[in-house]
Amino acid sequence: MDVYRIAWKSGQDMVQEDHEGTQCDPRKGRCSEREGVHTNPVSSPVSGPPRLVSCGSSQSSALSQSGGSTSTTGIEARSRALGRRWCPAAIMLLALVSLLSCLLPSSEAKVYSRCELARVLQDFGLDGYRGYSLADWVCLAYFTSGFNAAAVDHEADGSTNNGIFQISSRRWCRNLTPNAPNVCRMYCSDLLNPNLKDTVICAMKITQEPQGLGYWEAWRHHCQGKDLTDWVDGCDF
């Protein structure tokens, strides 16, 4: 019994008074002023670095509270993990851009001069094809596209008229419209190529129809039955 009493008294004697008038109690882990008005608990040391919060806003809060002591390695690892997360919408957009880049012609838009176009069309054999003169074709190209090989006109129904002869996607070529006949068996973007090869092939197929060049309203209104010699006048072949 005396042993326990002595131990208790020894603990009481451990309360000491320091030189500045404060009392420290090792059992309670705190010091207080003599008057007992203000008490400041002794903060315990933090064991290990603070945990990294997963949410962005909480992470910022944790960083500010910890004084920037968060592990740099942990932040970099989380940034790399977030970078690997692809948004489905972004993937679809990337795929669409890649598809359109394949469909669109690689060259810049080409606007021909009158005689330049006449020479190209003659080289493709259009002079006299199906009974139509070279001047008929040059006249047609002017009143449909203004000699612009990359011209595209959008119709209200979603179809397009394409290239130097403004060939329609409703029947002759394929664009994004489903179930189109695609008689010329080519993409409408092929008709925008400045070398005019696909355009001429498709135009020949159209001319094989009973209407001939009469398929084009512009030719009927501006070229049919008129003197067209001026369209090739002065051109060197």
Side-chain angles (χ1 to χ4, degrees):
M1 195 67 177
D2 292 338
V3 174
Y4 293 111
R5 187 178 294 116
I6 291 172
W8 179 83
K9 182 166 179 51
S10 297
Q12 291 281 25
D13 293 338
M14 292 176 68
V15 179
Q16 302 177 13
E17 182 176 297
D18 62 4
H19 297 290
E20 296 180 2
T22 59
Q23 292 180 347
C24 296
D25 189 347
R27 295 174 301 164
K28 298 181 180 180
R30 67 182 182 181
C31 296
S32 63
E33 295 182 359
R34 178 177 297 178
E35 299 298 328
V37 178
H38 302 289
T39 60
N40 296 319
V42 179
S43 58
S44 60
V46 179
S47 59
R51 292 180 302 169
L52 185 63
V53 184
S54 60
C55 297
S57 58
S58 302
Q59 182 179 1
S60 301
S61 176
L63 288 173
S64 61
Q65 292 177 3
S66 62
S69 62
T70 305
S71 171
T72 304
T73 304
I75 296 176
E76 292 177 353
R78 187 171 296 273
S79 299
R80 288 193 298 268
L82 291 174
R84 289 193 295 267
R85 298 176 184 174
W86 284 84
C87 175
I91 296 175
M92 291 297 296
L93 180 60
L94 180 62
L96 180 59
V97 170
S98 300
L99 176 61
L100 290 178
S101 65
C102 294
L103 296 180
L104 292 177
S106 57
S107 303
E108 295 181 358
K110 169 71 174 177
V111 179
Y112 282 87
S113 66
R114 176 177 60 88
C115 288
E116 181 186 16
L117 178 62
R119 286 190 293 269
V120 171
L121 298 182
Q122 185 184 50
D123 291 341
F124 279 120
L126 287 184
D127 190 12
Y129 182 77
R130 293 281 173 169
Y132 298 102
S133 68
L134 187 60
D136 281 303
W137 292 99
V138 176
C139 179
L140 170 65
Y142 177 79
F143 285 107
T144 52
S145 67
F147 300 148
N148 185 355
V152 178
D153 179 50
H154 296 268
E155 300 288 353
D157 62 355
S159 64
T160 55
N161 301 313
N162 308 274
I164 203 164
F165 294 133
Q166 290 292 277
I167 297 173
S168 176
S169 66
R170 291 176 185 152
R171 182 180 180 190
W172 304 104
C173 62
R174 180 181 180 183
N175 59 8
L176 299 180
T177 304
N179 302 323
N182 190 14
V183 176
C184 289
R185 298 186 178 276
M186 60 183 63
Y187 286 103
C188 295
S189 59
D190 296 334
L191 301 174
L192 308 181
N193 196 310
N195 66 24
L196 301 184
K197 177 181 178 180
D198 292 320
T199 297
V200 170
I201 291 174
C202 191
M204 286 179 167
K205 189 176 290 291
I206 295 173
T207 312
Q208 293 171 7
E209 298 287 313
Q211 284 183 294
L213 286 185
Y215 164 81
W216 283 276
E217 183 179 356
W219 182 82
R220 297 196 307 268
H221 290 171
H222 301 285
C223 308
Q224 186 176 19
K226 298 182 180 180
D227 183 7
L228 304 178
T229 54
D230 288 343
W231 288 105
V232 293
D233 186 37
C235 299
D236 297 328
F237 298 109

